[in-house]
Amino acid sequence: MSDNRTGSAKAADAATLITGGKVHLMDGVSLPQEAVVVKSGRVLGTGTEADMVALAGKDAARIDVQGATVMPGLVDTHPHVLHFAARLRASVDITDAVNHADIVARIKAKAASTPKGEWIITTPVGEPHFFIRKSYRDLPERRLPDRHILDQATSEHPVFIQAWGPTTPNICVFNSKGLEKIGMNDFLPDRVCDVFFEKDDNGRLTGVVRGAVANYYNIDPYWTQILSKLPSPSGWELHDSTIHGMSEINRQGVTTIYEPHNMTPGHVDAYIRLRKENALTARVMLALETEGYAYPPHWPYSMEQFEERLNLGRQMLDLNDEFLRITGITFSLATPCGSGMVRMHDPYRGPFGEPTRGVTFLSREKQRRFICFCAEHSIRGNFCTYGYRDHDDILEDLESGIGNSGLKDIPWLIQHALLITQLQAERYAALGCTLTTSMAFSWGKGDLWGERIGKHVWRDQVPLKRLLRVGLTVGAGSDWGPKNPWEQMLLAETHEFAGSGYRNATPDHVVSREEAILMWTRDGARAIGWPDVGSLANGNHADLIAMDRDPLACKLEDLPGTQVLMTMLGGKIIHGADAF
C-alpha cells in the first residue's frame, strides 16, 4: 500500500537520533550508552550508536551533540518558580547594582514610565535570598543609599528598597516620599516593637529601617501594619513572569518542577491558564496550600474555612495530564529559624535575643483533620517541616491512626525536613513516606542555626546520607538558593555553610556524586510520584539535556560551572536550538 501522507506529516512521525556523546540514563543501574532515540515525545530506545541508527530508521532526524554529555532533564522538587519570578518582576532589579549612582539610575528609569504617586519597589542588593555571598555591604559605599540619595532618582514617587526574607534582623530603605506615604516622621521613637529607625545626628529619619522588616514570615505587630500599606503579592503579574521563570530553569536543565508550598488558588489558576495556552516549558506538579501564613498579616481560618479549603484542593485534583498535574494538598508547620518561629522542644535565642520555642500557626486539630481528609479521599498529603516538634507531631498522628484508617496507603510526602533525627527518619520510612529537601537550608542557614540554637543541631541538619540509609526516597530542590542546581549537587557532597565555609561533612550527611544527581533526576521523580520522568528509560518522556561536561565524572569544583547546551521537553528543543 502506498503512503499518501505529506512530507510534513511523515516528519512529525519520524524519530530523532541523538548521538555523538555519552548518554547517562540515570536509572541507578545502567552504564553510559552511546545514543538515544526519541519519537512521539517519548524515549524509544538507548544503546550503541549502531543499534540506535537501526532503531531510528532512515527517515530519522539526527542531532550530533559533538562530545557533550546527555542525561534526563532535572527535577526540582521545590523551586518556587512562580513566586520568585513574580516577585522579581514586581520590583526594580538592583541585585547586581554596582554603586549608589547605579541604583539611582535604575530607579530614575522606572520613574520615567510610572505614574506620579505610584510606588516604585526594588529588590535588595546582592544574591537572593540569603545575601551572604554578596549583599549591600559589597557596594563601594559599604551601605545602602539613604532617603536623600534615593530622592535624587525621584521626588514624585514613593520608593522602597525591600528586605527579602528569610533573614531577620534585616534592612530596608524608603525615600522621603515613601516615608510620607507610610506615615513615618521624625517624631517616631528609635524603636517600635522590633523595628528600629535610623536617625541622623539631628534626630531626623534617614529612611533606613532595620530589624523585623522582612517582607514575609514576619509577625511583628508594627511591621505587618506597614506591609498592609505597600503593594501586596496579590497584585503580582503571574503570566509573563512565570513564563520567564520557566525559561530560566530550562537554561539550567530543569524540565520538571513540583510546587507544593505557598500555592494559593490564584497561583494554581495561573499555571492552569499557561497549560491551556500550551505555554508551559516544564512539566509542573502542584499542591494547594490548605492554609498559608507566609504573607502577613495572618488571620487563622475557622475550622469551617479550613474544611472549605480542603475540599477546594480535592476539587482541583488533576492526576493524568502530561504537563500539569495537581496531585495533593499541603499542610505547613514549617517556619524559619531566622525570625524565631521554628518549632523546637528546647528554648533558643530569637532574632532579638528573646527566648523562644517557635510559633505554631496551624493547630493540632487542623493537622488531624488534614490527615483524616487525605485518608478519606486517598489524596497525597504534603507536610512542610523544619524543626523537631514538627516531625514529632506528624509522626504521632500518622502512627496513631494506621491500624483503623489505612493511612499507610496514602503517599505522604515530607518537605524540607531541615532538622531530622535518625529515629524520625526511620519512622517516616516505616510509614512509606517520601521526602524532599534542599541544600539551601544547610548552606544558607547552618551558621545561623549554630548561633541561635547550638552547634549540636548540625548533626541533624539535612542529613542526606542518613535519609538514604534508612530507605527514604529523597528528591532535591533549590528553594531559597543557590538557584544553580549543579551547585546544589556540589553542596550535597560538601555540606558547606555559605558564611563561615564550615563543612558539615559527616558520614550522616555526605552523599556520592551519583546519589546527589539521582536526587535531581530519578529519585526526585519518584519522591513526587511522577514515574515517567527523571530517567531515560524506554517509554519515559523525552525530557533530556546536553551539557558541556560530564557531571558524574568532572572535578567537584567544576560541577557548578556546568553549562546546559540544549534542553529538550517531550522531544522538542526548548533551550539551545542552535547549539548543535
Short mmCIF file of all heavy atoms in Angstrom, two decimals, residues 66-102:
data_model
loop_
_atom_site.label_atom_id
_atom_site.label_comp_id
_atom_site.label_asym_id
_atom_site.label_seq_id
_atom_site.Cartn_x
_atom_site.Cartn_y
_atom_site.Cartn_z
N GLN A 66 28.24 16.39 19.58
CA GLN A 66 29.64 16.81 19.43
C GLN A 66 30.43 16.70 20.74
O GLN A 66 31.12 17.62 21.15
CB GLN A 66 29.70 18.23 18.89
CG GLN A 66 28.96 18.42 17.58
CD GLN A 66 28.81 19.88 17.18
OE1 GLN A 66 29.62 20.72 17.54
NE2 GLN A 66 27.76 20.17 16.41
N GLY A 67 30.30 15.57 21.39
CA GLY A 67 31.07 15.32 22.60
C GLY A 67 30.40 15.74 23.88
O GLY A 67 30.95 15.52 24.98
N ALA A 68 29.24 16.36 23.81
CA ALA A 68 28.51 16.75 25.03
C ALA A 68 27.99 15.50 25.74
O ALA A 68 27.92 14.42 25.17
CB ALA A 68 27.36 17.69 24.68
N THR A 69 27.63 15.67 26.99
CA THR A 69 27.05 14.59 27.77
C THR A 69 25.53 14.77 27.84
O THR A 69 25.05 15.87 28.09
CB THR A 69 27.63 14.57 29.20
OG1 THR A 69 29.04 14.37 29.12
CG2 THR A 69 27.01 13.46 30.03
N VAL A 70 24.80 13.68 27.64
CA VAL A 70 23.34 13.71 27.62
C VAL A 70 22.82 12.98 28.86
O VAL A 70 23.35 11.93 29.25
CB VAL A 70 22.80 13.05 26.35
CG1 VAL A 70 21.28 12.96 26.37
CG2 VAL A 70 23.28 13.81 25.11
N MET A 71 21.80 13.52 29.46
CA MET A 71 21.13 12.88 30.60
C MET A 71 19.71 13.39 30.69
O MET A 71 19.34 14.33 29.97
CB MET A 71 21.89 13.15 31.90
CG MET A 71 21.96 14.59 32.33
SD MET A 71 22.92 14.84 33.85
CE MET A 71 21.70 14.38 35.07
N PRO A 72 18.86 12.80 31.53
CA PRO A 72 17.48 13.29 31.63
C PRO A 72 17.43 14.70 32.20
O PRO A 72 18.33 15.13 32.95
CB PRO A 72 16.81 12.30 32.58
CG PRO A 72 17.93 11.62 33.30
CD PRO A 72 19.08 11.60 32.35
N GLY A 73 16.39 15.44 31.85
CA GLY A 73 16.18 16.75 32.42
C GLY A 73 16.03 16.66 33.93
O GLY A 73 15.59 15.64 34.47
N LEU A 74 16.40 17.74 34.62
CA LEU A 74 16.41 17.74 36.07
C LEU A 74 15.00 17.93 36.63
O LEU A 74 14.14 18.56 36.01
CB LEU A 74 17.33 18.84 36.59
CG LEU A 74 18.78 18.80 36.09
CD1 LEU A 74 19.57 19.95 36.70
CD2 LEU A 74 19.43 17.46 36.40
N VAL A 75 14.80 17.40 37.82
CA VAL A 75 13.53 17.52 38.55
C VAL A 75 13.81 18.37 39.79
O VAL A 75 14.54 17.94 40.68
CB VAL A 75 12.98 16.14 38.96
CG1 VAL A 75 11.67 16.29 39.74
CG2 VAL A 75 12.79 15.25 37.73
N ASP A 76 13.26 19.58 39.84
CA ASP A 76 13.42 20.46 41.01
C ASP A 76 12.14 20.33 41.84
O ASP A 76 11.07 20.78 41.43
CB ASP A 76 13.64 21.91 40.57
CG ASP A 76 14.07 22.81 41.72
OD1 ASP A 76 13.68 22.53 42.88
OD2 ASP A 76 14.78 23.80 41.47
N THR A 77 12.28 19.74 43.02
CA THR A 77 11.10 19.41 43.82
C THR A 77 10.62 20.56 44.71
O THR A 77 9.65 20.39 45.45
CB THR A 77 11.36 18.18 44.71
OG1 THR A 77 12.39 18.49 45.66
CG2 THR A 77 11.78 16.99 43.87
N HIS A 78 11.28 21.74 44.64
CA HIS A 78 10.82 22.87 45.46
C HIS A 78 11.44 24.18 44.95
O HIS A 78 12.20 24.83 45.68
CB HIS A 78 11.19 22.64 46.92
CG HIS A 78 10.26 23.30 47.89
ND1 HIS A 78 9.30 22.61 48.60
CD2 HIS A 78 10.11 24.59 48.24
CE1 HIS A 78 8.63 23.45 49.37
NE2 HIS A 78 9.10 24.66 49.18
N PRO A 79 11.08 24.63 43.75
CA PRO A 79 11.75 25.80 43.18
C PRO A 79 11.08 27.14 43.41
O PRO A 79 11.72 28.19 43.29
CB PRO A 79 11.76 25.48 41.68
CG PRO A 79 10.49 24.72 41.48
CD PRO A 79 10.29 23.90 42.74
N HIS A 80 9.77 27.17 43.69
CA HIS A 80 9.03 28.43 43.78
C HIS A 80 9.22 29.28 42.52
O HIS A 80 9.46 30.49 42.59
CB HIS A 80 9.45 29.24 45.01
CG HIS A 80 9.00 28.67 46.31
ND1 HIS A 80 7.67 28.67 46.70
CD2 HIS A 80 9.70 28.08 47.32
CE1 HIS A 80 7.58 28.11 47.91
NE2 HIS A 80 8.78 27.73 48.30
N VAL A 81 9.11 28.65 41.36
CA VAL A 81 9.33 29.38 40.10
C VAL A 81 8.38 30.56 39.98
O VAL A 81 8.81 31.70 39.72
CB VAL A 81 9.17 28.43 38.89
CG1 VAL A 81 9.16 29.23 37.59
CG2 VAL A 81 10.31 27.41 38.87
N LEU A 82 7.10 30.32 40.16
CA LEU A 82 6.10 31.39 40.03
C LEU A 82 6.35 32.48 41.07
O LEU A 82 6.36 33.67 40.73
CB LEU A 82 4.70 30.81 40.18
CG LEU A 82 3.52 31.78 40.18
CD1 LEU A 82 2.30 31.14 39.52
CD2 LEU A 82 3.15 32.20 41.61
N HIS A 83 6.56 32.11 42.31
CA HIS A 83 6.69 33.09 43.38
C HIS A 83 7.89 34.00 43.17
O HIS A 83 7.78 35.24 43.23
CB HIS A 83 6.81 32.40 44.73
CG HIS A 83 5.64 31.55 45.08
ND1 HIS A 83 5.75 30.22 45.38
CD2 HIS A 83 4.32 31.84 45.18
CE1 HIS A 83 4.55 29.71 45.65
NE2 HIS A 83 3.67 30.69 45.54
N PHE A 84 9.05 33.40 42.93
CA PHE A 84 10.27 34.20 42.84
C PHE A 84 10.28 35.03 41.57
O PHE A 84 10.72 36.19 41.56
CB PHE A 84 11.50 33.31 42.91
CG PHE A 84 11.72 32.69 44.27
CD1 PHE A 84 12.50 31.55 44.42
CD2 PHE A 84 11.17 33.24 45.42
CE1 PHE A 84 12.70 30.97 45.67
CE2 PHE A 84 11.36 32.67 46.67
CZ PHE A 84 12.14 31.53 46.79
N ALA A 85 9.80 34.47 40.46
CA ALA A 85 9.78 35.22 39.21
C ALA A 85 8.80 36.39 39.29
O ALA A 85 9.10 37.49 38.82
CB ALA A 85 9.40 34.30 38.04
N ALA A 86 7.63 36.17 39.91
CA ALA A 86 6.64 37.24 40.03
C ALA A 86 7.13 38.34 40.97
O ALA A 86 6.94 39.54 40.70
CB ALA A 86 5.31 36.68 40.53
N ARG A 87 7.78 37.95 42.06
CA ARG A 87 8.31 38.95 42.99
C ARG A 87 9.38 39.80 42.30
O ARG A 87 9.44 41.02 42.49
CB ARG A 87 8.89 38.26 44.22
CG ARG A 87 9.39 39.24 45.28
CD ARG A 87 9.88 38.52 46.52
NE ARG A 87 8.82 37.81 47.22
CZ ARG A 87 7.92 38.40 47.99
NH1 ARG A 87 7.93 39.71 48.15
NH2 ARG A 87 6.99 37.69 48.59
N LEU A 88 10.24 39.15 41.52
CA LEU A 88 11.29 39.89 40.82
C LEU A 88 10.69 40.83 39.78
O LEU A 88 11.12 41.98 39.64
CB LEU A 88 12.26 38.91 40.15
CG LEU A 88 13.46 39.53 39.45
CD1 LEU A 88 14.33 40.31 40.43
CD2 LEU A 88 14.28 38.46 38.75
N ARG A 89 9.67 40.36 39.06
CA ARG A 89 9.05 41.19 38.02
C ARG A 89 8.35 42.40 38.63
O ARG A 89 8.26 43.46 37.98
CB ARG A 89 8.04 40.35 37.22
CG ARG A 89 7.50 41.06 35.97
CD ARG A 89 6.55 40.14 35.22
NE ARG A 89 6.06 40.75 33.99
CZ ARG A 89 6.68 40.68 32.82
NH1 ARG A 89 7.85 40.06 32.73
NH2 ARG A 89 6.17 41.25 31.75
N ALA A 90 7.87 42.27 39.85
CA ALA A 90 7.17 43.38 40.51
C ALA A 90 8.15 44.41 41.08
O ALA A 90 7.71 45.41 41.66
CB ALA A 90 6.27 42.85 41.61
N SER A 91 9.44 44.18 40.91
CA SER A 91 10.45 45.03 41.53
C SER A 91 11.41 45.58 40.47
O SER A 91 11.61 44.98 39.41
CB SER A 91 11.27 44.24 42.56
OG SER A 91 10.45 43.54 43.46
N VAL A 92 12.03 46.70 40.79
CA VAL A 92 13.19 47.16 40.02
C VAL A 92 14.37 46.32 40.48
O VAL A 92 14.68 46.29 41.68
CB VAL A 92 13.46 48.65 40.25
CG1 VAL A 92 14.73 49.08 39.53
CG2 VAL A 92 12.28 49.50 39.81
N ASP A 93 15.00 45.63 39.58
CA ASP A 93 16.07 44.71 39.94
C ASP A 93 17.37 45.46 40.18
O ASP A 93 17.99 45.98 39.24
CB ASP A 93 16.26 43.68 38.83
CG ASP A 93 17.24 42.58 39.20
OD1 ASP A 93 17.79 42.63 40.33
OD2 ASP A 93 17.45 41.67 38.37
N ILE A 94 17.78 45.52 41.45
CA ILE A 94 19.08 46.13 41.77
C ILE A 94 19.98 45.09 42.44
O ILE A 94 20.94 45.45 43.13
CB ILE A 94 18.94 47.38 42.66
CG1 ILE A 94 18.28 47.05 44.01
CG2 ILE A 94 18.14 48.47 41.94
CD1 ILE A 94 18.34 48.20 45.02
N THR A 95 19.69 43.80 42.22
CA THR A 95 20.51 42.77 42.84
C THR A 95 21.97 42.91 42.43
O THR A 95 22.86 42.68 43.24
CB THR A 95 20.01 41.36 42.46
OG1 THR A 95 19.91 41.25 41.04
CG2 THR A 95 18.65 41.09 43.09
N ASP A 96 22.22 43.29 41.18
CA ASP A 96 23.60 43.39 40.69
C ASP A 96 24.08 44.83 40.57
O ASP A 96 25.04 45.11 39.85
CB ASP A 96 23.74 42.69 39.35
CG ASP A 96 22.84 43.31 38.27
OD1 ASP A 96 21.94 44.10 38.62
OD2 ASP A 96 23.05 43.01 37.08
N ALA A 97 23.44 45.75 41.27
CA ALA A 97 23.85 47.16 41.23
C ALA A 97 25.31 47.30 41.67
O ALA A 97 25.76 46.60 42.60
CB ALA A 97 22.95 48.01 42.11
N VAL A 98 26.04 48.23 41.04
CA VAL A 98 27.47 48.35 41.33
C VAL A 98 27.78 49.47 42.32
O VAL A 98 28.84 49.47 42.95
CB VAL A 98 28.28 48.55 40.03
CG1 VAL A 98 28.13 47.34 39.13
CG2 VAL A 98 27.83 49.81 39.30
N ASN A 99 26.87 50.45 42.45
CA ASN A 99 27.09 51.54 43.41
C ASN A 99 25.80 52.32 43.58
O ASN A 99 24.77 52.02 42.95
CB ASN A 99 28.24 52.45 42.96
CG ASN A 99 28.03 53.00 41.55
OD1 ASN A 99 26.90 53.22 41.11
ND2 ASN A 99 29.13 53.22 40.83
N HIS A 100 25.85 53.37 44.40
CA HIS A 100 24.66 54.17 44.65
C HIS A 100 24.16 54.86 43.38
O HIS A 100 22.94 54.96 43.14
CB HIS A 100 24.95 55.21 45.73
CG HIS A 100 25.03 54.64 47.10
ND1 HIS A 100 25.24 55.40 48.23
CD2 HIS A 100 24.92 53.35 47.56
CE1 HIS A 100 25.27 54.64 49.29
NE2 HIS A 100 25.08 53.38 48.91
N ALA A 101 25.09 55.35 42.56
CA ALA A 101 24.69 56.03 41.33
C ALA A 101 23.93 55.08 40.41
O ALA A 101 22.96 55.48 39.75
CB ALA A 101 25.92 56.59 40.61
N ASP A 102 24.35 53.83 40.36
CA ASP A 102 23.68 52.83 39.55
C ASP A 102 22.26 52.59 40.08
O ASP A 102 21.30 52.50 39.30
CB ASP A 102 24.49 51.54 39.58
CG ASP A 102 23.96 50.46 38.64
OD1 ASP A 102 23.17 50.79 37.74
OD2 ASP A 102 24.35 49.29 38.82
#
